[in-house]
Amino acid sequence: MQTTNQKLKDWVEQIANHCLPQDVYWCDGSKTEQDNLLKELVAQGTFKPVAARPNSYWVCSHPSDVARVEKRTFICSRKEEDAGPTNNWMDPAQMKQILWPKFAGCMQGRRMYVIPFCMGPYDSPLAKIGVEITDSPYVVANMYLMARVGEKALAKLGNGDFIPCLHSVGAPLLAGQKDVPWPCEPDPENKYIVQFPEEHMIWSYGSGYGGNALLGKKCLALRIASVMARKEGWLAEHMLILSLTNPQGKTFYMAAAFPSACGKTNLAMLKMPLPGWQVKCLGDDIAWLRPGSDGRLWAINPEYGFFGVAPGTSGKTNAQAMAAMEKNAIFTNVALADDGDVWWEGIDREITGAIDWQGARWTPGCGRKAAHPNSRFTAPLSQCPILDEHWNDGEGVPLSAIIFGGRRPSTVPLVTEAFSWEHGVFFGSAIASETTAANLDQVGIVRRDPFAMRPFFGYHVCDYFQHWLSFKNLSHLPRIFMVNWFQKEGERFLWPGYSDNGRVLKWITQRLENKVPGQKSALGINPGLQELDLTGLKIAASDLARLLTCDGHQWKKEAQSIAEFYQSLGPKVPPALWQQLTDLQKRLDPSPREHHSSCCMF
Ligand code: SAT
Ligand code: MN
């Protein structure tokens, strides 16, 4: 493949001379090329075809390489201050001194792939070109599905600027050495996921899994893009994008931020439980938002595919995702059942046995999980049966609502509307969630995950809050909502979740159209007890009341915990957010003179 881009040619040559691959291959993105690559992956034992699904493959990683590694993820800005308190930081020169020698000869015996790719529709004003160099054909196969890859991206690049993304699994194949199905650096302490925000550059070493290795995703489209967005006046967010059309044919676009593995994919493809309503999907993980000249915020999905959590996905919980992965899909760390199809916990299909994600024999009831909790399917967006017709529009879609959520067993009501943009930014800044298996650390701990971006900020979290606040004068801002599908009593969820979340989406559109008054609480605006459309749903009145109510006692504690969180972020937390917190505390604990009867129940 030809390029006249001298910077690109020089970089590829420099990396090849340093990493010493056996050869260099430029990906043109053609079907023939993809077919050949898949054949090779099968021949070398990394991929196994899934008999039940055309052109689909099963692959299992090394057991040490199953999720993003936040502890080994670094923002190497020149000043430590610019990485902020939520990121690991190292001086860029020092990082290069450590990492560059690790790349020396690291691709020996392997092919070096050069993948030109475009994040965002080719004609989007926000589209960004990256070039990933990798020694992992698994990464290449996934990049074909997750990004717009090949000749067209190279043509769009022309002689312009690109984001260099260097990746190696860190496992050179020396003469006579037999390859393994999933080469990687097994020592977690020797993995590095590194962003250089001033240079717009990414180096990733040692891992072949997901966001550690598919560098267009979290590294480029969130960490580096958030830095570019701040400079250029837009937002790079960890959000799904959906459209919701009501029975009158009116369509609302919404974006929603939830931490990894909290159901973004399910919400993005939700089947409305109410007749005449229809959700369509534009994206399930990342949204880039740009103010339009009309004063609205316009959203695009920079990605081209889904990299969704498999466990829990079934015909019942997400039939659309199941359809999207019927063919041309890659399944990582799920089980391969004796019936010739992939399998995971919650898929809602009886099997007699399987090979589990670690290659061992598995039978139902054996006491182990067959699929890793962070096992994933990769599938093209275009295969989603309810893809919104504007999914590939360069301009994107104008947002009416932004939703923030997390997994909270208590405290956070089902849905709350913010009083204002600043109040909504406060919601986003204070979101917390139980941790999940999407990251290698401990699971099930409630931690603050502002804007569901904690692992993905490319710069100081407080500057990021300020950047969000800076949009407040746009004339047609989306309204902001906070949701929680995960309230529990003991082990029982109070809200059924999944498609019933569509009832909450309906209420949101009714608020947008001023069709329901809502109920003012200390926290914001919640649905009145009669306002949610519960047609066909059985739910105890006491559960509903708990779901919709701001519990003053819990929220006083929560406000204290948010204050401690803000303190932990240092002196740069914007005063406007401290003010929001103070206002909340006042509403929770009004002095008798200021008491409003509409305040929440204590
Ligand atoms: O592995 S990924 O980072 O792509 C998935 C996720 O954590 O959202
Ligand atoms: Mn994600």
Side-chain angles (χ1 to χ4, degrees):
M1 213 169 29
Q2 294 290 319
T3 177
T4 54
N5 192 307
Q6 199 56 45
K7 184 181 156 201
L8 175 55
K9 286 205 260 192
D10 291 349
W11 179 62
V12 170
E13 195 184 309
Q14 181 205 14
I15 299 301
N17 287 337
H18 187 62
C19 298
L20 304 177
Q22 144 209 305
D23 59 3
V24 177
Y25 182 86
W26 289 71
C27 298
D28 64 20
S30 67
K31 176 86 175 82
T32 322
E33 179 182 272
Q34 293 188 38
D35 291 345
N36 289 338
L37 183 87
L38 291 166
K39 269 190 215 131
E40 276 168 42
L41 276 158
V42 172
Q44 74 186 47
T46 302
F47 276 18
K48 199 171 155 62
V50 177
R53 293 166 200 251
N55 194 34
S56 297
Y57 301 89
W58 176 63
V59 47
C60 293
S61 75
H62 188 273
S64 69
D65 199 21
V66 293
R68 279 183 295 104
V69 281
E70 289 176 18
K71 283 194 181 123
R72 307 300 305 160
T73 300
F74 297 84
I75 300 294
C76 295
S77 45
R78 280 180 210 121
K79 288 197 245 150
E80 179 169 11
E81 161 72 9
D82 291 339
T86 55
N87 282 311
N88 301 311
W89 175 85
M90 200 189 284
D91 175 76
Q94 193 189 345
M95 178 57 86
K96 286 176 191 172
Q97 240 170 38
I98 294 173
L99 212 44
W100 188 242
K102 291 186 194 290
F103 280 104
C106 72
M107 295 186 184
Q108 283 172 81
R110 303 197 181 279
R111 169 164 286 181
M112 177 177 124
Y113 298 87
V114 181
I115 318 169
F117 64 96
C118 180
M119 299 310 287
Y122 289 110
D123 62 349
S124 174
L126 288 185
K128 300 281 180 230
I129 301 292
V131 180
E132 177 159 353
I133 288 181
T134 179
D135 54 8
S136 161
Y138 168 84
V139 165
V140 183
N142 278 271
M143 284 295 283
Y144 282 138
L145 303 179
M146 295 305 299
R148 295 159 173 87
V149 161
E151 244 161 23
K152 258 180 120 171
L154 204 60
K156 180 172 166 73
L157 171 62
N159 290 322
D161 241 354
F162 63 94
I163 298 157
C165 309
L166 172 58
H167 172 250
S168 171
V169 292
L173 201 57
L174 305 177
Q177 198 181 335
K178 199 176 164 311
D179 205 357
V180 291
W182 187 279
C184 68
E185 163 57 65
D187 177 5
E189 296 303 310
N190 201 24
K191 295 185 208 266
Y192 290 84
I193 320 299
V194 181
Q195 284 69 209
F196 299 96
E198 284 101 356
E199 287 172 81
H200 299 164
M201 182 168 86
I202 300 159
W203 287 5
S204 166
Y205 180 88
S207 167
Y209 203 86
N212 297 335
L214 313 176
L215 300 187
K217 199 174 178 55
K218 309 297 187 180
C219 302
L220 192 160
L222 289 176
R223 298 194 191 101
I224 294 296
S226 65
V227 171
M228 298 176 123
R230 181 186 177 203
K231 237 185 286 170
E232 297 169 7
W234 52 281
L235 296 159
E237 298 302 324
H238 192 204
M239 291 177 176
L240 66 91
I241 311 170
L242 62 78
S243 68
L244 176 58
T245 304
N246 70 17
Q248 291 72 45
K250 183 155 184 203
T251 296
F252 303 84
Y253 295 99
M254 306 183 184
F258 296 81
S260 301
C262 287
K264 281 200 298 299
T265 308
N266 294 333
L267 185 61
M269 299 182 201
L270 180 135
K271 184 175 180 310
M272 281 299 279
L274 305 165
W277 291 77
Q278 167 82 52
V279 163
K280 286 187 177 168
C281 174
L282 291 101
D284 78 329
D285 196 37
I286 300 180
W288 287 353
L289 318 181
R290 168 187 66 87
S293 52
D294 57 0
R296 296 191 284 184
L297 265 187
W298 291 72
I300 62 162
N301 172 10
E303 300 195 277
Y304 205 49
F306 303 112
F307 185 66
V309 177
T313 312
S314 72
K316 281 192 192 135
T317 59
N318 194 338
Q320 313 296 346
M322 293 305 285
M325 60 176 107
E326 258 168 20
K327 55 186 179 189
N328 309 315
I330 300 169
F331 297 90
T332 310
N333 285 352
V334 306
L336 189 62
D338 296 345
D339 61 12
D341 202 356
V342 286
W343 194 88
W344 47 79
E345 280 67 28
I347 198 175
D348 199 28
R349 184 174 96 249
E350 297 283 316
I351 55 167
T352 52
I355 309 171
D356 73 13
W357 73 275
Q358 301 203 68
R361 189 69 209 148
W362 182 95
T363 46
C366 71
R368 286 178 291 117
K369 290 214 153 111
H372 187 277
N374 191 40
S375 54
R376 300 269 171 167
F377 62 86
T378 322
L381 261 170
S382 61
Q383 286 181 191
C384 176
I386 51 157
L387 197 60
D388 187 89
E389 45 276 35
H390 297 296
W391 72 281
N392 202 21
D393 285 4
E395 295 291 309
V397 292
L399 296 181
S400 305
I402 289 178
I403 300 170
F404 295 114
R407 256 175 216 273
R408 293 296 299 268
S410 73
T411 312
V412 179
L414 185 63
V415 56
T416 310
E417 181 184 341
F419 294 129
S420 66
W421 180 257
E422 285 188 354
H423 188 218
V425 174
F426 167 73
F427 280 177
S429 75
I431 285 292
S433 192
E434 285 185 321
T435 51
T436 69
N439 162 38
L440 220 49
D441 297 342
Q442 211 176 346
V443 172
I445 311 283
V446 172
R447 69 164 182 178
R448 297 279 154 205
D449 189 347
F451 292 79
M453 281 285 283
R454 186 179 188 117
F456 309 122
F457 294 121
Y459 59 99
H460 196 299
V461 56
C462 295
D463 292 332
Y464 170 95
F465 292 166
Q466 190 56 53
H467 185 49
W468 262 81
L469 290 168
S470 76
F471 288 84
K472 83 170 191 194
N473 292 326
L474 275 188
S475 59
H476 293 82
L477 281 167
R479 302 241 286 262
I480 299 181
F481 297 80
M482 172 169 67
V483 302
N484 176 26
W485 319 134
F486 299 96
Q487 271 206 78
K488 274 184 171 174
E489 184 170 86
E491 282 310 294
R492 182 178 69 92
F493 285 104
L494 294 180
W495 179 250
Y498 295 107
S499 73
D500 288 307
N501 296 336
R503 302 172 191 276
V504 173
L505 298 186
K506 172 176 172 180
W507 181 78
I508 289 175
T509 69
Q510 290 180 307
R511 285 293 303 154
L512 296 173
E513 292 197 294
N514 293 320
K515 285 189 179 158
V516 286
Q519 169 101 20
K520 210 168 154 205
S521 74
L523 194 56
I525 300 163
N526 303 106
L529 283 177
Q530 308 300 324
E531 285 181 16
L532 276 189
D533 186 341
L534 299 174
T535 316
L537 180 68
K538 276 208 193 95
I539 182 162
S542 54
D543 284 353
L544 189 67
R546 254 187 68 189
L547 282 162
L548 300 183
T549 313
C550 154
D551 178 318
H553 183 66
Q554 284 179 355
W555 268 94
K556 279 183 202 165
K557 279 200 283 185
E558 182 75 3
Q560 185 52 37
S561 146
I562 295 170
E564 282 160 22
F565 173 59
Y566 279 3
Q567 291 287 3
S568 78
L569 299 182
K572 286 213 306 185
V573 173
L577 295 185
W578 275 114
Q579 187 60 51
Q580 286 295 331
L581 180 58
T582 308
D583 291 350
L584 170 63
Q585 281 168 324
K586 276 198 202 134
R587 291 192 301 266
L588 285 164
D589 208 357
S591 65
R593 254 178 301 119
E594 288 172 308
H595 194 280
H596 302 291
S597 59
S598 59
C599 222
C600 69
M601 318 206 303
F602 300 113

